[in-house]
Amino acid sequence: MLIDHWPLLGLRLNTPRLELRLPGDNELAELADLAAEGIHEPDRMPFLVPWTDLPAAERARSVVQHHWLRRGNWAPDNWALTLAVFESGQVVGLQTIAARDFAVLRQVSTGSWLGARYQRQGIGTEMRAAVLHLAFEGLKALEAMSGAFEDNASSLAVSQKHGYELDGIDRHVVRGQPTTTRRLRLTRVRWETHQHVPVSISGLAPCLPMFGLPDGGCTDRHGSAS
């Protein structure tokens, strides 16, 4: 079976409302359709790479290609896990967790997007909580990095809820205009004092070598990773 060769297909993260996992082919199509519907207002751009400026059909295709690219380029020292987010079985968005040289640095970064009709419902907070639990409890990370443009109040608010601290700024050119990104850092100690969403992990143990870690399971207060 394919899962024997790609155990990440069995990885599941669950919160009270959400399930995060790799999408099947039809679910990936639903994710692409969701991106085509729109993610943000046309007069603003929350992404460093303005992929949402593409026409709807090309935007949808880019979601599929990006997902395939991440799988095809996976390496234990350079990986990016692109998890579809489901609420009541419906695809609502995408949550990514990525790292380079994780076995040595124990540092991850995260990124995400939600379909426009699913925003401002608390989903972003729960999906971030899920991958932070995977990082700190499941993979024993030491730090998690994130970032957002200064005018992206909703993303910055989600990070604040989870205990991230300001780690400086970066300057970029987006749509031909200068813009400023706030870098954010979350330490294990800060995560432990700010976690407030119960998360369970299943199917992690067979995946650990893919993250550059020794094989074996772990157990946490909310559930088991097996």
Side-chain angles (χ1 to χ4, degrees), residues 7-8 11 74-79 97 99-108 133-142 188 201 204-218 225:
L8 291 168
L11 180 62
W74 187 285
D77 60 353
N78 184 7
W79 50 262
I97 178 172
R100 289 178 180 267
D101 299 311
F102 178 76
V104 178
L105 299 178
R106 299 290 174 149
Q107 182 185 86
V108 302
H133 192 87
L134 171 63
F136 287 110
E137 189 64 36
L139 302 178
K140 308 305 180 187
L142 298 178
R188 168 175 283 277
I201 308 173
L204 177 59
C207 305
L208 292 177
M210 297 190 69
F211 294 105
L213 301 175
D215 196 2
C218 67

Side-chain angles (χ1 to χ4, degrees), residues 177-195:
Q177 298 296 321
T179 186
T180 300
T181 298
R182 293 187 184 181
R183 296 196 311 269
L184 302 165
R185 182 185 301 270
L186 178 64
T187 64
R188 168 175 283 277
V189 171
R190 293 276 296 178
W191 171 75
E192 289 173 345
T193 59
H194 283 78
Q195 58 173 320

Side-chain angles (χ1 to χ4, degrees), residues 87-173:
E87 183 184 32
S88 301
Q90 180 67 47
V91 176
V92 299
L94 182 76
Q95 176 70 61
T96 297
I97 178 172
R100 289 178 180 267
D101 299 311
F102 178 76
V104 178
L105 299 178
R106 299 290 174 149
Q107 182 185 86
V108 302
S109 61
T110 63
S112 65
W113 60 262
L114 278 169
R117 52 194 162 107
Y118 299 108
Q119 296 174 15
R120 298 177 179 84
Q121 301 175 32
I123 295 174
T125 297
E126 282 199 31
M127 54 199 263
R128 181 86 67 88
V131 291
L132 289 177
H133 192 87
L134 171 63
F136 287 110
E137 189 64 36
L139 302 178
K140 308 305 180 187
L142 298 178
E143 295 179 317
M145 307 298 294
S146 187
F149 292 130
E150 288 187 320
D151 63 351
N152 194 342
S154 58
S155 178
L156 292 170
V158 168
S159 296
Q160 184 178 32
K161 289 178 184 178
H162 290 295
Y164 286 81
E165 297 178 290
L166 185 63
D167 191 49
I169 63 170
D170 289 317
R171 297 279 284 166
H172 305 276
V173 176

Side-chain angles (χ1 to χ4, degrees), residues 36-56:
E37 290 179 15
I39 299 172
H40 57 82
E41 301 87 346
D43 61 348
R44 56 183 293 267
M45 173 50 65
F47 304 111
L48 284 175
V49 178
W51 64 277
T52 47
D53 280 345
L54 293 169

Side-chain angles (χ1 to χ4, degrees), residues 53-71:
D53 280 345
L54 293 169
E58 294 180 34
R59 190 187 318 148
R61 189 178 305 116
S62 75
V63 170
V64 176
Q65 290 179 297
H66 181 74
H67 187 79
W68 287 341
L69 179 67
R70 291 301 197 182
R71 287 203 197 186

